[in-house]
């Protein structure tokens, strides 16, 4: 590990990146976020993990590389074309389940079922800028909620900063969560649910 080096990614990443570029999809997680997720996933022995916003499976591949053999990951996206890339490269792994669905409906349903996850990586609109309460309620005691892209990004629309500020404020004042903002990668926020 070097502090100034781009982290080396999972074996499938180069092929996923190539397909992602070919599709013109530019919202994939960056390698530093991926490395962080891989480390956090490794800390969740026999964990149940959730990714909101599969995209083409970039962060999914990092999460899977960190997870142990007994951990499972559900990854949700409403764009079947993007998810087909993730499935093609990662679908052979029995630990991951891809769900093509609206993230908001998924969160409402899982909340009604009383489901909990040890790690929620919220990388779609639902679970971050909508349905935040539902996403946080799914975090198990001792579990983590993680978001990236909290530092200004070149592809942000002009009205996005206030939304981002509101999310930071909202998370900072959440009873039952210990929150840290990391000036790392695209800007991460990590919220741990107190036991
Ligand atoms: C930032 S990208 C995810 C990137 C991905 N995690 C990665 O590492 O490459 C956001 C994703 O959210 C998905 N998305 C947008 N609205 C959604 C919704 N309502 N429900 C589910 N997914 C949604 C988009 O299709 C897109 O793939």
């Amino acid at each position: 590990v070097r502090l100034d080096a781009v982290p080396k990614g999972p074996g499938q990443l180069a092929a996923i990146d190539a397909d992602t570029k070919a599709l013109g999809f530019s919202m994939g997680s960056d390698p530093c976020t991926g490395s962080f997720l891989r480390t956090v996933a490794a800390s969740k022995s026999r964990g149940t993990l959730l990714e909101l916003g599969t995209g083409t499976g970039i962060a999914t591949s990092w999460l899977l590389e960190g997870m142990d053999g007994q951990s499972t990951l559900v990854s949700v996206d409403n764009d079947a074309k993007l998810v087909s890339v993730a499935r093609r490269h990662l679908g052979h792994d029995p630990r991951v389940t891809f769900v093509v669905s609206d993230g908001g409906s998924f969160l409402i349903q899982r909340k009604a079922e009383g489901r909990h996850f040890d790690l929620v990586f919220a990388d779609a609109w639902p679970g971050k800028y909508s349905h935040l309460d539902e996403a946080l309620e799914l975090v198990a005691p001792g579990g983590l909620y993680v978001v990236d892209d909290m530092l200004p990004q070149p592809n942000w629309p002009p009205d996005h900063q206030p939304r981002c500020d509101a999310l930071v404020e909202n998370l900072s004042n959440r009873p039952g969560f210990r929150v840290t903002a990391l000036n790392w990668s695209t800007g991460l926020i990590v919220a741990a649910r107190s036991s």
Side-chain angles (χ1 to χ4, degrees):
V1 177
R2 283 186 42 190
L3 289 173
D4 60 350
V6 177
K8 189 169 157 10
Q12 310 94 329
L13 195 54
I16 296 175
D17 276 342
D19 285 357
T20 303
K21 274 201 191 79
L23 274 181
F25 181 71
S26 60
M27 293 193 296
S29 297
D30 88 355
C32 290
T33 294
S35 173
F36 179 84
L37 291 171
R38 178 171 61 187
T39 295
V40 169
S43 78
K44 300 295 179 192
S45 174
R46 297 173 179 270
T48 53
L49 286 72
L50 172 63
E51 177 183 31
L52 297 162
T54 310
T56 53
I58 293 172
T60 318
S61 71
W62 288 93
L63 286 164
L64 286 169
E65 195 171 69
M67 288 159 51
D68 66 20
Q70 286 74 47
S71 294
T72 57
L73 169 64
V74 178
S75 186
V76 185
D77 201 293
N78 65 354
D79 187 329
K81 195 169 164 197
L82 296 175
V83 175
S84 73
V85 175
R87 270 193 220 279
R88 185 157 65 244
H89 294 284
L90 305 169
H92 61 276
D93 190 324
R95 299 171 301 165
V96 64
T97 304
F98 293 106
V99 177
V100 176
S101 162
D102 172 64
S105 314
F106 175 91
L107 287 168
I108 290 167
Q109 200 182 331
R110 291 307 180 279
K111 185 187 151 193
E113 292 165 3
R115 283 285 302 274
H116 285 105
F117 294 89
D118 300 302
L119 171 64
V120 175
F121 174 47
D123 200 18
W125 193 274
K128 192 172 176 184
Y129 298 112
S130 72
H131 302 86
L132 179 64
D133 291 349
E134 285 83 356
L136 291 173
E137 279 182 45
L138 292 191
V139 179
L144 298 176
Y145 169 90
V146 178
V147 287
D148 68 350
D149 293 336
M150 298 306 290
L151 287 168
Q153 300 300 307
N155 59 353
W156 276 11
D159 60 346
H160 193 59
Q161 185 67 57
R163 212 177 276 129
C164 190
D165 294 343
L167 176 61
V168 173
E169 181 74 12
N170 192 334
L171 287 171
S172 307
N173 296 310
R174 278 274 155 173
F177 283 87
R178 297 290 185 191
V179 181
T180 291
L182 298 173
N183 191 353
W184 161 262
S185 180
T186 57
L188 304 186
I189 296 189
V190 184
R193 185 168 202 158
S194 312
S195 305

